[in-house]
Amino acid sequence: MAIWDDVVPLSDREKYGKYTKLANIGMGRKPAVVVVDMTESFIDDRYSTGCGELARDAVRATGKLLDHARKLNVPRIFATWDPGLLPEEIGFWKCQRPQPVTMAVKSNLPDPLSLPSELGRQDNEPVLLRGKPSAFFGTNLAGTLTYYGTDTVIVAGISTSGCVRATVIDAFSLNYRVIVPEECVADRVIVPHKVNLFDMQMKYADVLPLDQVIALLEVNAPATPSK
Amino acid sequence: MAIWDDVVPLSDREKYGKYTKLANIGMGRKPAVVVVDMTESFIDDRYSTGCGELARDAVRATGKLLDHARKLNVPRIFATWDPGLLPEEIGFWKCQRPQPVTMAVKSNLPDPLSLPSELGRQDNEPVLLRGKPSAFFGTNLAGTLTYYGTDTVIVAGISTSGCVRATVIDAFSLNYRVIVPEECVADRVIVPHKVNLFDMQMKYADVLPLDQVIALLEVNAPATPSK
Amino acid sequence: MAIWDDVVPLSDREKYGKYTKLANIGMGRKPAVVVVDMTESFIDDRYSTGCGELARDAVRATGKLLDHARKLNVPRIFATWDPGLLPEEIGFWKCQRPQPVTMAVKSNLPDPLSLPSELGRQDNEPVLLRGKPSAFFGTNLAGTLTYYGTDTVIVAGISTSGCVRATVIDAFSLNYRVIVPEECVADRVIVPHKVNLFDMQMKYADVLPLDQVIALLEVNAPATPSK
Amino acid sequence: MAIWDDVVPLSDREKYGKYTKLANIGMGRKPAVVVVDMTESFIDDRYSTGCGELARDAVRATGKLLDHARKLNVPRIFATWDPGLLPEEIGFWKCQRPQPVTMAVKSNLPDPLSLPSELGRQDNEPVLLRGKPSAFFGTNLAGTLTYYGTDTVIVAGISTSGCVRATVIDAFSLNYRVIVPEECVADRVIVPHKVNLFDMQMKYADVLPLDQVIALLEVNAPATPSK
């Protein structure tokens, strides 16, 4: 049973499967992992944008994914918000900026842009700053992937219905194979989380259990340095 | 009551509204209308990708929107699929290509790429061909909007959870104000249709009733030619 | 006589003018000024990449242009190098990185990324960091210009044959009117400086004396704030 | 002696070589050939934009390059002008459109967009239509190269100072290794042809004799199909 089955009715699900079989895309030989906005402002629910326990689970799962990627020399890239943007760069976001949910919690909050230690980010792993949902927009992500020779983008991060989805659409549009490890993404809102996973699986990406992604990495990824 | 209220539970909806008020973005003084994939292959449900009666309703509503836009010299742009792409340009679409749902209907089908007559497309209205979800990707749409001096993109078309959503994300990312007239978009799948409208309203765009969009056009759009 | 006339022979120049008249594009009503890489590492010739006296002249001319732009509420945007990029983001630059031309000068050098005081950059004027020649590449410049409602991009900066030219091509490709004030650009190499001005004038932009650009600004630019 | 030595003086050339050695970038293991605007309107000098005998030489050289690429399963992609664009898509080109140089020649002219037979274009070789100088702008070229797994872009075509240079800048900015085979590019104007080759060699690409490019292909390119 898929995670979206209690939300997307059979009549909708059948629409995609009725006339042709929906096969998975599969992983290529040069995967890379892109982790979007897995920063405290989207994790810690003392921030208005935090996803709380669901995000902590996703952080742990992503830490595990990154450990395997490091062992296999699969490139890892992080994308986070650029805190220095002016209003004319930010544009017309409707979402609130991250803020403490109460004044009381304010003094104990972690840096909103810090990456949790479970991710184990290393100095040679790029952190791309940006101001739009997709990790590709207004960044050198496409060129960085070209440099690595990437053919498959594994997308983890927060939130499923926001920056993960936008990054998946762009990776797909640039003709990468796209994989979303289900446990490595999180959202504050449950129904959009599930429906966006459904949308991505039906259109642009393989939404897979983390264990299966790791098994694919072991088989497909180079044992030798990717560069 | 919003169209998504029977699908997105109150607990999810409150997440967006709890800490700050979610105001609409509003229309600027130089809107343009972008109509995505409102072609027979996404309308006529004798095609596997057709949305049937819901799409016909959206076509009629979009025809009405376009009539007002023409009267007010608001630019209109269409985006449709490029039928001439090779596999290396198409990439890894999971969705099936449009096909007749049965052999029996095959001989009576309209051209899958034709725009229905209700849209009244005129020769001086650009039709951009592309192979990716967003009408901006791999096209001159951004430059065309620059030429018009556009500050607001009104997105109509099919499907809500596919090309409409991708186009909205890109328009938003390029700092346009974005408006989605609710009646002018359609999808084959009902729950994703509603949830994607919810996502767009919460993050990137104003999802508004068509009548309200037309009223805004009458007030904001130039009476003189936009160029 | 044009600045390139001693380098580009008449036989070449006639090729462009032989069959049709080459008219100027003209300024629109919503210009913006983009200043590319006018930082000490490209100015001070104790840096290997510095252009020396020619750059100082261009700085003074650009300062004058910016003063007029500020007075007329014409938006100003700066683009400089991002010092924090990793090798996989930088790619395959052949140019040397800025470095002291001798060890002896090292201790007295200004910060390579600092903007000279003559430019008078103010806090509300965006500085876009990037790692590629064009100020549009991997940045939010296009969106920032959309936010301003820009129809004309005035490009100043260093070097003419590098980042100025790349920025001009992208601005042109996005359907902005492009203007290059001749005194506001500089290069270390003289013949490429002149030939690139020729190329841009023939293809993509109006290369004009600064006084003429300022006169056009006085006539065309809004007296009221552009936003 | 380099082709630009009679135009770019020693004092300019020394600027690039004075402080650091300028090494070549080299070819990767997954090259692809991109041929820009090698169509009759840019070749046949009965068109106002035609380069005449110089272009015919470049066509023959490019035909030879393509033969080797086909033999080695190195992907080949063509980019040509899109004849169907409306003014708002075309923007502010200063260059004249291709036109017969005299009325007398009009009736005998080849289709301006046809690729000469020496190039031997085959049905499985994509032809990307576009309206801007760079073959990447408003096309799926980046995605097509991702699909091929390309790490090196070999750029041929017309004109050196126009579409070749713009394509080279974009390929470089996307972190491809870029190679320009000197005999495979042409221009109507001689000094800009030479100076643009100099600029590209100094900054973004390896400008090499065709024989050397072919030798590199034999060594580096896959003997097995690139996909």
Side-chain angles (χ1 to χ4, degrees), chain D residues 205-225:
Chain D
D206 293 344
V207 178
L208 298 173
L210 174 58
D211 281 353
Q212 200 171 329
V213 177
I214 290 172
L216 286 168
L217 279 177
E218 301 278 354
V219 171
N220 289 279
T224 52

Side-chain angles (χ1 to χ4, degrees), chain C residues 75-93:
Chain C
R76 293 82 51 200
I77 303 166
F78 296 84
T80 65
W81 288 102
D82 185 339
L85 301 179
L86 293 175
E88 52 266 62
E89 300 171 78
I90 291 171
F92 299 99
W93 276 102

Side-chain angles (χ1 to χ4, degrees), chain A residues 34-39 42 77-80 130 132-135 155-159 162-164 167:
Chain A
V34 175
V35 182
V36 191
D37 281 338
M38 210 166 244
T39 52
F42 294 101
I77 302 167
F78 296 83
T80 65
R130 81 213 193 287
K132 304 300 172 187
S134 167
V155 183
I158 303 169
S159 66
C163 300
V164 169
T167 301

Side-chain angles (χ1 to χ4, degrees), chain B residues 17-40:
Chain B
K18 205 164 172 183
Y19 306 109
T20 58
K21 191 169 163 7
L22 189 74
N24 274 342
I25 296 164
M27 184 182 284
R29 303 303 297 267
K30 300 282 274 180
V33 178
V34 175
V35 182
V36 191
D37 282 337
M38 210 167 245
T39 52
E40 288 296 343

Side-chain angles (χ1 to χ4, degrees), chain D residues 51-82:
Chain D
C51 300
E53 210 39 60
L54 291 173
R56 293 281 168 216
D57 290 346
V59 167
R60 275 185 293 272
T62 303
K64 189 175 164 191
L65 172 66
L66 290 168
D67 284 346
H68 282 268
R70 289 186 188 107
K71 192 184 68 183
L72 296 164
N73 286 308
V74 168
R76 293 80 53 198
I77 302 167
F78 297 83
T80 64
W81 288 103
D82 185 339

Side-chain angles (χ1 to χ4, degrees), chain C:
Chain C
M1 187 180 139
I3 188 178
W4 48 74
D5 281 357
D6 63 337
V7 175
V8 183
L10 187 62
S11 54
D12 279 355
R13 283 179 274 146
E14 278 185 345
K15 283 278 166 53
Y16 283 99
K18 205 162 171 184
Y19 307 110
T20 58
K21 188 170 164 9
L22 189 74
N24 275 340
I25 295 163
M27 185 182 284
R29 304 303 298 268
K30 299 283 272 179
V33 179
V34 175
V35 182
V36 190
D37 281 337
M38 208 165 247
T39 52
E40 288 297 343
S41 57
F42 295 101
I43 299 167
D44 193 316
D45 55 12
R46 291 171 298 170
Y47 280 110
S48 59
T49 47
C51 299
E53 211 37 61
L54 291 174
R56 293 279 168 218
D57 290 345
V59 167
R60 275 185 292 272
T62 303
K64 190 176 165 192
L65 171 67
L66 290 168
D67 283 347
H68 281 268
R70 290 186 187 106
K71 193 185 68 184
L72 296 164
N73 287 308
V74 168
R76 293 82 51 200
I77 303 166
F78 296 84
T80 65
W81 288 102
D82 185 339
L85 301 179
L86 293 175
E88 52 266 62
E89 300 171 78
I90 291 171
F92 299 99
W93 276 102
K94 294 184 90 168
C95 298
Q96 62 220 33
R97 309 260 98 200
Q99 53 183 299
V101 296
T102 66
M103 279 305 114
V105 302
K106 198 168 178 181
S107 58
N108 298 308
L109 283 173
D111 176 351
L113 291 174
S114 63
L115 295 161
S117 60
E118 293 96 320
L119 299 180
R121 191 239 151 193
Q122 300 178 355
D123 286 348
N124 66 347
E125 297 171 354
V127 179
L128 308 176
L129 301 179
R130 82 215 192 285
K132 304 299 173 189
S134 167
F136 287 90
F137 200 96
T139 74
N140 288 312
L141 179 52
T144 301
L145 295 175
T146 298
Y147 193 91
Y148 292 139
T150 301
D151 60 10
T152 304
V153 179
I154 302 169
V155 182
I158 303 170
S159 67
T160 318
S161 70
C163 300
V164 169
R165 167 120 187 206
T167 301
V168 164
I169 295 175
D170 274 355
F172 162 80
S173 295
L174 285 162
N175 288 353
Y176 294 101
R177 295 161 183 266
V178 186
I179 293 173
V180 180
E182 196 178 301
E183 298 93 328
C184 298
V185 296
D187 204 305
R188 280 184 301 153
V189 285
I190 304 310
V191 165
H193 173 71
K194 293 180 177 182
V195 171
N196 277 279
L197 286 173
F198 173 77
D199 285 349
M200 292 189 279
Q201 167 69 12
M202 293 301 119
K203 298 169 190 288
Y204 313 130
D206 293 344
V207 178
L208 297 173
L210 175 58
D211 282 354
Q212 200 171 328
V213 176
I214 290 172
L216 285 168
L217 278 177
E218 301 279 354
V219 172
N220 289 279
T224 53
S226 74
K227 192 72 211 172

Side-chain angles (χ1 to χ4, degrees), chain B residues 36-57:
Chain B
V36 191
D37 282 337
M38 210 167 245
T39 52
E40 288 296 343
S41 57
F42 295 100
I43 300 168
D44 193 316
D45 56 11
R46 292 171 298 171
Y47 280 111
S48 58
T49 47
C51 299
E53 210 38 61
L54 291 173
R56 292 282 168 216
D57 290 345

Side-chain angles (χ1 to χ4, degrees), chain A residues 123-143:
Chain A
D123 287 348
N124 65 347
E125 297 171 355
V127 179
L128 309 176
L129 301 180
R130 81 213 193 287
K132 304 300 172 187
S134 167
F136 288 90
F137 201 95
T139 74
N140 289 312
L141 179 51

